[in-house]
Structure formats: structure tokens, C-alpha cells
Amino acid sequence: MTGLSLALANLKPGTGKTTSAVWLAHVFAQAGNSVLLVDADPSGSALEWSDLAAMYPGLAPEQAAFPFRIVALPSRELHRRLPEIAKHDDVVIIDTPQIEDHAGIARSALRYADEILIPCAPSPIEINRTTPVRDEIAEVRDVRDKPVRSAILLNRCVARAHSTTDAREALVDLGYDVLATVVPRREVYAQSFGVPIKHAGTDVWRQVARDLIERCAPLCGVLWT
């Protein structure tokens, strides 16, 4: 029985969905959970990242490979197929495609996940683009077997900038839940595609994971240390 199922969703590409999915999968796996990362994007970015990391020069394959399962499932039937695939996993993380181009696949992921996380930079244009995501979540609410949670993950935040505080206030005023932890703009995240995830930088993602676990407690059976 999956303890946490999470979908990273947004309207457009380039918002940090894949980066967030991969880093979160690593910290949940490092805590001792059985993790499944689902690449639901037809572009296959998460799967490509995994393949490139496993071939990273100077590291043995067992050291470079992602410490969790990863499957490609860019399907409008994801919500029907995934329960069997993920039945032995503690955590399922879905990297969804951008809604504007692959709405059918994204909606299927939204039907499956217990928690929908919307990565959002602290800028007016990205805040505005969260509205279609919320509309999609509302559309699938009536066809789900159980209630859905959704939250904003503020990312690419500049340290000590007022924009982060202003964005949080604006999003809360719009009725969103906003995770307490924000992801700063760091080179370790921006340049991480295609390489194995190292310990540096995992501190922030561990805090994000803790925020997510607290949101589903006490029903969440995910391991954490």
C-alpha cells in the first residue's frame, strides 16, 4: 500500500517539475523507503536523466544509478495502470507533462495522486499560471475515489529577496496552501540534470519531504529519519 503518492504538475515546461521529482525521490529513498518515480512526460526527461547518471564517468554503475525504480508511463490510463505497478512501493512520485500540451495524461496523473505539488517561481507570471492547474484539479475532483490535497512549492527563490515573501502572501490570498520550505536558486539544482545526485543540496529537499509527510499524517506510512 503506497504511503504517499505525489504528482508534480504545472501548465508549462521549465517550471522545475522534473528537478523536484528526482531530488524528492532521492531523499525519500535515502530515508529507507521503496520509491517509484513515474516519468509520465512523453519527452522522457526523468528517464533520460536516470540513464545519463548511470553512465557518469568515474563512478561504478551501482554508485551512479538512481536508488529507486523509474518507469515511463505517458498514458491517459495512468490512474488505472499505476495501482498494480506501484502496489509494493512506499512512495510514488509522478513527473507529469505540461498541461497545455498533454492535458489527458496530466489529468490521469491528477486522478491518481493523493498530493499534487505545483512548483512555482516567485514571479507574477508564474503565479498567474497556477490558476489553470487549480482548475484541472477541480475538474478531476468528482471522478476521484478519495479527496485530493494540493500545495504550492516555491522554487528558484533568491536568498533574502522580498519576492519570495510577496509571492507567498499572494498565493495564500488566492487560497493556496504553500509549503513552508522554499527551494532556493542554486547551481547544484540548476546543473543537476543528467548527473548522479550528491549529498550536497539534499538538505532543502529533505525539508520539503518532511513538509509533505506532515500534510498526510497520521495516515502516511512513509519512513523518515
Side-chain angles (χ1 to χ4, degrees):
M1 181 84 167
T2 300
L4 174 64
S5 58
L6 172 69
L8 282 297
N10 215 313
L11 179 67
K12 291 182 176 288
T15 57
K17 295 189 304 296
T18 300
T19 300
S20 301
V22 169
W23 280 83
L24 281 170
H26 273 82
V27 297
F28 276 117
Q30 289 165 2
N33 296 285
S34 172
V35 177
L36 173 66
L37 176 58
V38 180
D39 190 343
D41 193 334
S43 69
S45 296
L47 196 60
E48 181 184 5
W49 186 342
S50 175
D51 290 342
L52 290 171
M55 298 183 291
Y56 193 74
L59 290 178
E62 60 272 16
Q63 294 176 304
F66 283 2
F68 47 81
R69 287 199 303 147
I70 179 168
V71 298
L73 195 59
S75 170
R76 295 177 180 224
E77 296 297 309
L78 181 150
H79 62 285
R80 293 190 174 95
R81 297 174 59 187
L82 198 47
E84 179 64 24
I85 297 171
K87 64 182 179 181
H88 298 302
D89 293 292
D90 303 312
V91 178
V92 175
I93 299 175
I94 308 169
D95 181 21
T96 70
Q98 62 267 23
I99 292 172
E100 66 174 0
D101 293 327
H102 303 286
I105 299 172
R107 287 171 189 149
S108 185
L110 300 184
R111 289 184 65 175
Y112 174 84
D114 294 327
E115 180 85 53
I116 298 164
L117 196 58
I118 308 168
C120 178
S123 69
I125 189 169
E126 288 225 11
I127 292 171
N128 287 340
R129 287 172 178 169
T130 63
T131 300
V133 184
R134 182 162 61 178
D135 292 344
E136 290 291 344
I137 295 170
E139 284 290 323
V140 302
R141 186 171 288 123
D142 291 340
V143 296
R144 287 175 51 92
D145 296 330
K146 49 188 174 181
V148 62
R149 300 183 303 273
S150 63
I152 300 287
L153 171 63
L154 283 169
N155 64 3
R156 293 163 288 158
C157 298
V158 177
R160 297 181 294 278
H162 292 298
S163 58
T164 303
T165 301
D166 293 344
R168 180 182 295 278
E169 291 176 354
L171 288 161
V172 170
D173 287 344
L174 289 169
Y176 289 105
D177 290 346
V178 184
L179 293 192
T181 304
V182 304
V183 179
R185 184 185 297 172
R186 290 186 188 172
E187 283 296 292
V188 69
Y189 306 140
Q191 303 300 323
S192 60
F193 178 83
V195 302
I197 298 297
K198 300 177 182 178
H199 180 72
T202 57
D203 54 335
V204 170
W205 293 101
R206 286 179 57 83
Q207 293 174 33
V208 174
R210 187 177 291 111
D211 290 349
L212 293 168
I213 291 172
E214 289 175 354
R215 285 174 57 79
C216 66
L219 301 177
C220 184
V222 174
L223 297 176
W224 199 248
T225 56

